[in-house]
Amino acid sequence: MGNLKRHCFALDLVDDPKLMAEYKKYHEKIWPEITASIKNAGIEVLEIYCVGNRMFMIMEVNDTFSFERKSQMDADNPKVQEWERLMWKYQQALPTAKEGEKWLVMEKIYEL
């Protein structure tokens, strides 16, 4: 498969302790269909970190992954659409997001 490529993203949660706790609870055991869709898209590692209501996601992908392919797979998968609708109750776009954008790709500015 070659080397994995890393992508990093940011997104905020609605700043409400009850909603943030619910969101984290969902991620203790995400739906199996969501796990399958992630793996089928060529994503081999996916981690989400949270501080306050700011989230940071690290995704490591193999050579089969493309944002276009993942987007099409998600659009064609009713269970992914259901999950995304549910998660949007807890998420809020970053101030710099355009209409309809959720997770924003972060720019790498330093590497040791």
Side-chain angles (χ1 to χ4, degrees), residues 26-68:
Y26 270 110
H27 285 77
E28 287 174 14
K29 186 169 186 191
I30 67 170
W31 302 347
E33 299 91 343
I34 303 308
T35 301
S37 77
I38 290 168
K39 290 180 176 180
N40 291 340
I43 300 166
E44 297 201 16
V45 177
L46 195 149
E47 299 174 338
I48 298 175
Y49 296 84
C50 188
V51 59
N53 71 319
R54 175 71 38 98
M55 293 187 294
F56 175 58
M57 179 168 62
I58 300 170
M59 212 168 70
E60 293 187 8
V61 301
N62 63 37
D63 296 340
T64 68
F65 177 85
S66 79
F67 287 107
E68 296 76 17

Short mmCIF file of all heavy atoms in Angstrom, two decimals, residues 26-68:
data_model
loop_
_atom_site.label_atom_id
_atom_site.label_comp_id
_atom_site.label_asym_id
_atom_site.label_seq_id
_atom_site.Cartn_x
_atom_site.Cartn_y
_atom_site.Cartn_z
N TYR A 26 -21.26 8.86 22.31
CA TYR A 26 -21.47 8.24 20.99
C TYR A 26 -20.16 7.69 20.43
O TYR A 26 -20.14 6.66 19.76
CB TYR A 26 -22.03 9.25 19.98
CG TYR A 26 -23.53 9.30 19.94
CD1 TYR A 26 -24.21 10.42 20.42
CD2 TYR A 26 -24.29 8.25 19.42
CE1 TYR A 26 -25.60 10.48 20.38
CE2 TYR A 26 -25.67 8.30 19.38
CZ TYR A 26 -26.31 9.42 19.87
OH TYR A 26 -27.68 9.47 19.83
N HIS A 27 -19.05 8.39 20.72
CA HIS A 27 -17.77 7.98 20.15
C HIS A 27 -17.07 6.88 20.95
O HIS A 27 -16.04 6.37 20.52
CB HIS A 27 -16.87 9.21 19.95
CG HIS A 27 -17.30 10.01 18.77
ND1 HIS A 27 -18.39 10.85 18.81
CD2 HIS A 27 -16.83 10.07 17.50
CE1 HIS A 27 -18.56 11.40 17.62
NE2 HIS A 27 -17.62 10.94 16.81
N GLU A 28 -17.63 6.51 22.11
CA GLU A 28 -17.10 5.36 22.84
C GLU A 28 -17.39 4.07 22.08
O GLU A 28 -16.67 3.10 22.19
CB GLU A 28 -17.71 5.29 24.26
CG GLU A 28 -17.17 6.36 25.18
CD GLU A 28 -17.88 6.39 26.52
OE1 GLU A 28 -18.62 5.42 26.85
OE2 GLU A 28 -17.70 7.38 27.25
N LYS A 29 -18.49 4.10 21.32
CA LYS A 29 -18.84 2.93 20.51
C LYS A 29 -19.62 3.41 19.29
O LYS A 29 -20.84 3.43 19.29
CB LYS A 29 -19.68 1.95 21.34
CG LYS A 29 -19.93 0.66 20.58
CD LYS A 29 -20.53 -0.42 21.43
CE LYS A 29 -20.58 -1.66 20.56
NZ LYS A 29 -21.34 -2.72 21.10
N ILE A 30 -18.86 3.83 18.27
CA ILE A 30 -19.55 4.32 17.07
C ILE A 30 -20.21 3.14 16.35
O ILE A 30 -19.84 1.99 16.52
CB ILE A 30 -18.64 5.14 16.13
CG1 ILE A 30 -17.56 4.28 15.49
CG2 ILE A 30 -18.05 6.33 16.85
CD1 ILE A 30 -16.80 5.01 14.39
N TRP A 31 -21.20 3.45 15.56
CA TRP A 31 -21.94 2.42 14.84
C TRP A 31 -20.99 1.61 13.96
O TRP A 31 -20.11 2.18 13.30
CB TRP A 31 -23.02 3.05 13.98
CG TRP A 31 -24.01 3.90 14.73
CD1 TRP A 31 -24.21 3.96 16.09
CD2 TRP A 31 -24.94 4.82 14.15
NE1 TRP A 31 -25.20 4.87 16.36
CE2 TRP A 31 -25.67 5.40 15.21
CE3 TRP A 31 -25.21 5.19 12.85
CZ2 TRP A 31 -26.66 6.34 14.99
CZ3 TRP A 31 -26.20 6.14 12.62
CH2 TRP A 31 -26.92 6.69 13.70
N PRO A 32 -21.18 0.31 13.87
CA PRO A 32 -20.30 -0.53 13.04
C PRO A 32 -20.31 -0.13 11.57
O PRO A 32 -19.28 -0.24 10.89
CB PRO A 32 -20.84 -1.95 13.24
CG PRO A 32 -22.12 -1.82 13.97
CD PRO A 32 -22.19 -0.46 14.59
N GLU A 33 -21.43 0.37 11.08
CA GLU A 33 -21.51 0.81 9.68
C GLU A 33 -20.60 2.01 9.43
O GLU A 33 -20.07 2.19 8.33
CB GLU A 33 -22.95 1.19 9.30
CG GLU A 33 -23.95 0.07 9.43
CD GLU A 33 -24.62 0.01 10.80
OE1 GLU A 33 -24.12 0.61 11.76
OE2 GLU A 33 -25.67 -0.65 10.90
N ILE A 34 -20.42 2.84 10.45
CA ILE A 34 -19.56 4.01 10.32
C ILE A 34 -18.09 3.57 10.29
O ILE A 34 -17.31 4.02 9.46
CB ILE A 34 -19.82 5.02 11.46
CG1 ILE A 34 -21.29 5.44 11.49
CG2 ILE A 34 -18.90 6.24 11.34
CD1 ILE A 34 -21.87 5.93 10.18
N THR A 35 -17.74 2.65 11.19
CA THR A 35 -16.39 2.09 11.19
C THR A 35 -16.07 1.46 9.83
O THR A 35 -15.00 1.70 9.26
CB THR A 35 -16.23 1.04 12.31
OG1 THR A 35 -16.49 1.67 13.56
CG2 THR A 35 -14.83 0.45 12.32
N ALA A 36 -17.02 0.69 9.31
CA ALA A 36 -16.82 0.04 8.00
C ALA A 36 -16.63 1.07 6.90
O ALA A 36 -15.75 0.93 6.04
CB ALA A 36 -18.00 -0.87 7.68
N SER A 37 -17.42 2.13 6.91
CA SER A 37 -17.31 3.16 5.85
C SER A 37 -15.97 3.87 5.92
O SER A 37 -15.39 4.21 4.89
CB SER A 37 -18.47 4.16 5.94
OG SER A 37 -18.28 5.09 6.99
N ILE A 38 -15.46 4.09 7.13
CA ILE A 38 -14.16 4.74 7.30
C ILE A 38 -13.06 3.84 6.71
O ILE A 38 -12.24 4.29 5.90
CB ILE A 38 -13.90 5.03 8.80
CG1 ILE A 38 -14.83 6.15 9.28
CG2 ILE A 38 -12.43 5.38 9.05
CD1 ILE A 38 -14.88 6.33 10.79
N LYS A 39 -13.08 2.58 7.09
CA LYS A 39 -12.05 1.64 6.62
C LYS A 39 -12.14 1.42 5.11
O LYS A 39 -11.12 1.38 4.42
CB LYS A 39 -12.17 0.31 7.37
CG LYS A 39 -11.76 0.43 8.83
CD LYS A 39 -11.88 -0.89 9.55
CE LYS A 39 -11.38 -0.76 10.98
NZ LYS A 39 -11.49 -2.01 11.73
N ASN A 40 -13.36 1.30 4.59
CA ASN A 40 -13.56 1.07 3.15
C ASN A 40 -13.09 2.24 2.30
O ASN A 40 -12.81 2.08 1.12
CB ASN A 40 -15.03 0.78 2.85
CG ASN A 40 -15.48 -0.56 3.40
OD1 ASN A 40 -14.65 -1.43 3.69
ND2 ASN A 40 -16.78 -0.73 3.58
N ALA A 41 -13.00 3.42 2.91
CA ALA A 41 -12.55 4.61 2.17
C ALA A 41 -11.03 4.70 2.07
O ALA A 41 -10.51 5.59 1.41
CB ALA A 41 -13.10 5.87 2.84
N GLY A 42 -10.33 3.77 2.74
CA GLY A 42 -8.87 3.81 2.70
C GLY A 42 -8.26 4.52 3.90
O GLY A 42 -7.07 4.84 3.91
N ILE A 43 -9.07 4.77 4.92
CA ILE A 43 -8.58 5.40 6.14
C ILE A 43 -8.13 4.28 7.08
O ILE A 43 -8.92 3.40 7.43
CB ILE A 43 -9.67 6.27 6.80
CG1 ILE A 43 -10.11 7.37 5.83
CG2 ILE A 43 -9.19 6.84 8.13
CD1 ILE A 43 -11.39 8.08 6.21
N GLU A 44 -6.87 4.29 7.46
CA GLU A 44 -6.33 3.23 8.30
C GLU A 44 -6.21 3.63 9.76
O GLU A 44 -6.24 2.78 10.65
CB GLU A 44 -4.97 2.79 7.75
CG GLU A 44 -5.13 2.20 6.35
CD GLU A 44 -3.98 1.32 5.94
OE1 GLU A 44 -3.18 0.89 6.79
OE2 GLU A 44 -3.88 1.04 4.73
N VAL A 45 -6.08 4.92 10.02
CA VAL A 45 -6.00 5.44 11.39
C VAL A 45 -6.88 6.68 11.46
O VAL A 45 -6.80 7.53 10.57
CB VAL A 45 -4.55 5.82 11.78
CG1 VAL A 45 -4.50 6.43 13.18
CG2 VAL A 45 -3.62 4.62 11.68
N LEU A 46 -7.72 6.76 12.49
CA LEU A 46 -8.53 7.95 12.70
C LEU A 46 -8.61 8.19 14.20
O LEU A 46 -9.04 7.31 14.94
CB LEU A 46 -9.93 7.80 12.09
CG LEU A 46 -10.70 9.11 11.95
CD1 LEU A 46 -11.62 9.06 10.76
CD2 LEU A 46 -11.47 9.46 13.19
N GLU A 47 -8.16 9.34 14.62
CA GLU A 47 -8.20 9.71 16.03
C GLU A 47 -8.82 11.09 16.15
O GLU A 47 -8.58 11.96 15.31
CB GLU A 47 -6.79 9.77 16.64
CG GLU A 47 -6.05 8.46 16.58
CD GLU A 47 -4.60 8.57 17.04
OE1 GLU A 47 -4.02 9.69 17.01
OE2 GLU A 47 -4.05 7.53 17.44
N ILE A 48 -9.63 11.28 17.21
CA ILE A 48 -10.22 12.59 17.50
C ILE A 48 -9.81 12.98 18.91
O ILE A 48 -9.95 12.18 19.84
CB ILE A 48 -11.76 12.58 17.37
CG1 ILE A 48 -12.18 12.23 15.94
CG2 ILE A 48 -12.34 13.95 17.78
CD1 ILE A 48 -13.69 12.09 15.75
N TYR A 49 -9.31 14.20 19.05
CA TYR A 49 -8.93 14.75 20.34
C TYR A 49 -9.81 15.96 20.62
O TYR A 49 -10.30 16.60 19.69
CB TYR A 49 -7.46 15.20 20.33
CG TYR A 49 -6.49 14.07 20.14
CD1 TYR A 49 -6.17 13.61 18.87
CD2 TYR A 49 -5.90 13.44 21.23
CE1 TYR A 49 -5.28 12.56 18.68
CE2 TYR A 49 -5.00 12.39 21.06
CZ TYR A 49 -4.70 11.96 19.78
OH TYR A 49 -3.82 10.92 19.60
N CYS A 50 -9.99 16.28 21.91
CA CYS A 50 -10.86 17.39 22.27
C CYS A 50 -10.23 18.18 23.42
O CYS A 50 -9.69 17.59 24.35
CB CYS A 50 -12.22 16.83 22.69
SG CYS A 50 -13.48 18.09 22.95
N VAL A 51 -10.28 19.50 23.33
CA VAL A 51 -9.92 20.38 24.44
C VAL A 51 -10.99 21.47 24.48
O VAL A 51 -11.27 22.11 23.46
CB VAL A 51 -8.49 20.97 24.31
CG1 VAL A 51 -8.33 21.77 23.03
CG2 VAL A 51 -8.12 21.81 25.53
N GLY A 52 -11.64 21.62 25.63
CA GLY A 52 -12.79 22.51 25.69
C GLY A 52 -13.80 22.01 24.68
O GLY A 52 -14.14 20.83 24.66
N ASN A 53 -14.25 22.89 23.79
CA ASN A 53 -15.19 22.45 22.75
C ASN A 53 -14.52 22.37 21.37
O ASN A 53 -15.19 22.17 20.37
CB ASN A 53 -16.42 23.36 22.70
CG ASN A 53 -16.11 24.73 22.13
OD1 ASN A 53 -15.09 25.33 22.44
ND2 ASN A 53 -17.00 25.23 21.29
N ARG A 54 -13.18 22.48 21.32
CA ARG A 54 -12.45 22.39 20.05
C ARG A 54 -11.99 20.95 19.84
O ARG A 54 -11.42 20.34 20.75
CB ARG A 54 -11.25 23.34 20.08
CG ARG A 54 -10.30 23.31 18.89
CD ARG A 54 -10.84 23.89 17.60
NE ARG A 54 -11.67 25.05 17.68
CZ ARG A 54 -11.29 26.31 17.50
NH1 ARG A 54 -10.03 26.60 17.25
NH2 ARG A 54 -12.15 27.30 17.56
N MET A 55 -12.25 20.42 18.66
CA MET A 55 -11.83 19.06 18.32
C MET A 55 -10.75 19.10 17.24
O MET A 55 -10.73 20.00 16.40
CB MET A 55 -13.01 18.23 17.83
CG MET A 55 -14.03 17.96 18.91
SD MET A 55 -15.29 16.81 18.35
CE MET A 55 -16.08 17.76 17.06
N PHE A 56 -9.92 18.08 17.29
CA PHE A 56 -8.81 17.92 16.34
C PHE A 56 -8.85 16.46 15.89
O PHE A 56 -8.91 15.56 16.73
CB PHE A 56 -7.51 18.25 17.07
CG PHE A 56 -6.26 18.02 16.28
CD1 PHE A 56 -6.05 18.63 15.06
CD2 PHE A 56 -5.27 17.18 16.77
CE1 PHE A 56 -4.88 18.42 14.34
CE2 PHE A 56 -4.10 16.96 16.07
CZ PHE A 56 -3.91 17.58 14.86
N MET A 57 -8.88 16.22 14.60
CA MET A 57 -8.93 14.85 14.07
C MET A 57 -7.69 14.59 13.23
O MET A 57 -7.31 15.41 12.39
CB MET A 57 -10.19 14.65 13.21
CG MET A 57 -10.30 13.27 12.60
SD MET A 57 -11.93 12.89 11.87
CE MET A 57 -12.06 14.12 10.58
N ILE A 58 -7.08 13.43 13.48
CA ILE A 58 -5.93 12.98 12.69
C ILE A 58 -6.39 11.76 11.90
O ILE A 58 -6.95 10.81 12.47
CB ILE A 58 -4.75 12.58 13.60
CG1 ILE A 58 -4.30 13.77 14.45
CG2 ILE A 58 -3.59 12.04 12.76
CD1 ILE A 58 -3.32 13.39 15.54
N MET A 59 -6.15 11.79 10.61
CA MET A 59 -6.54 10.70 9.73
C MET A 59 -5.29 10.27 8.96
O MET A 59 -4.61 11.11 8.37
CB MET A 59 -7.58 11.26 8.75
CG MET A 59 -8.61 10.32 8.28
SD MET A 59 -9.96 11.19 7.43
CE MET A 59 -9.19 11.75 5.93
N GLU A 60 -4.99 8.98 8.98
CA GLU A 60 -3.90 8.45 8.16
C GLU A 60 -4.52 7.53 7.12
O GLU A 60 -5.28 6.62 7.47
CB GLU A 60 -2.87 7.74 9.03
CG GLU A 60 -2.15 8.72 9.94
CD GLU A 60 -1.00 8.11 10.71
OE1 GLU A 60 -0.65 6.93 10.46
OE2 GLU A 60 -0.45 8.80 11.58
N VAL A 61 -4.21 7.81 5.86
CA VAL A 61 -4.89 7.15 4.75
C VAL A 61 -3.89 6.43 3.86
O VAL A 61 -2.73 6.82 3.76
CB VAL A 61 -5.71 8.17 3.92
CG1 VAL A 61 -6.73 8.88 4.80
CG2 VAL A 61 -4.80 9.19 3.24
N ASN A 62 -4.38 5.38 3.20
CA ASN A 62 -3.53 4.65 2.25
C ASN A 62 -3.73 5.22 0.85
O ASN A 62 -4.46 6.20 0.66
CB ASN A 62 -3.77 3.14 2.34
CG ASN A 62 -5.18 2.74 1.95
OD1 ASN A 62 -5.79 3.31 1.04
ND2 ASN A 62 -5.71 1.74 2.64
N ASP A 63 -3.10 4.57 -0.12
CA ASP A 63 -3.10 5.07 -1.50
C ASP A 63 -4.47 5.03 -2.18
O ASP A 63 -4.66 5.65 -3.21
CB ASP A 63 -2.11 4.27 -2.36
CG ASP A 63 -0.67 4.45 -1.89
OD1 ASP A 63 -0.38 5.44 -1.19
OD2 ASP A 63 0.17 3.59 -2.22
N THR A 64 -5.42 4.28 -1.60
CA THR A 64 -6.75 4.20 -2.22
C THR A 64 -7.64 5.39 -1.85
O THR A 64 -8.69 5.59 -2.44
CB THR A 64 -7.48 2.90 -1.83
OG1 THR A 64 -7.82 2.94 -0.43
CG2 THR A 64 -6.63 1.67 -2.12
N PHE A 65 -7.23 6.17 -0.86
CA PHE A 65 -8.07 7.25 -0.35
C PHE A 65 -8.03 8.49 -1.25
O PHE A 65 -6.98 8.89 -1.73
CB PHE A 65 -7.62 7.68 1.07
CG PHE A 65 -8.40 8.84 1.62
CD1 PHE A 65 -9.60 8.64 2.26
CD2 PHE A 65 -7.94 10.14 1.45
CE1 PHE A 65 -10.33 9.71 2.75
CE2 PHE A 65 -8.67 11.22 1.94
CZ PHE A 65 -9.86 11.01 2.59
N SER A 66 -9.20 9.09 -1.43
CA SER A 66 -9.28 10.45 -1.98
C SER A 66 -10.50 11.12 -1.33
O SER A 66 -11.48 10.45 -0.98
CB SER A 66 -9.42 10.46 -3.51
OG SER A 66 -10.74 10.18 -3.89
N PHE A 67 -10.41 12.43 -1.15
CA PHE A 67 -11.53 13.17 -0.56
C PHE A 67 -12.77 13.05 -1.42
O PHE A 67 -13.89 12.92 -0.92
CB PHE A 67 -11.16 14.65 -0.36
CG PHE A 67 -10.19 14.87 0.77
CD1 PHE A 67 -8.87 15.19 0.51
CD2 PHE A 67 -10.60 14.73 2.09
CE1 PHE A 67 -7.97 15.39 1.55
CE2 PHE A 67 -9.71 14.92 3.14
CZ PHE A 67 -8.39 15.25 2.87
N GLU A 68 -12.59 13.05 -2.75
CA GLU A 68 -13.72 12.95 -3.67
C GLU A 68 -14.42 11.59 -3.52
O GLU A 68 -15.65 11.52 -3.46
CB GLU A 68 -13.26 13.14 -5.12
CG GLU A 68 -12.68 14.50 -5.42
CD GLU A 68 -11.26 14.73 -4.89
OE1 GLU A 68 -10.55 13.73 -4.56
OE2 GLU A 68 -10.85 15.89 -4.78
#
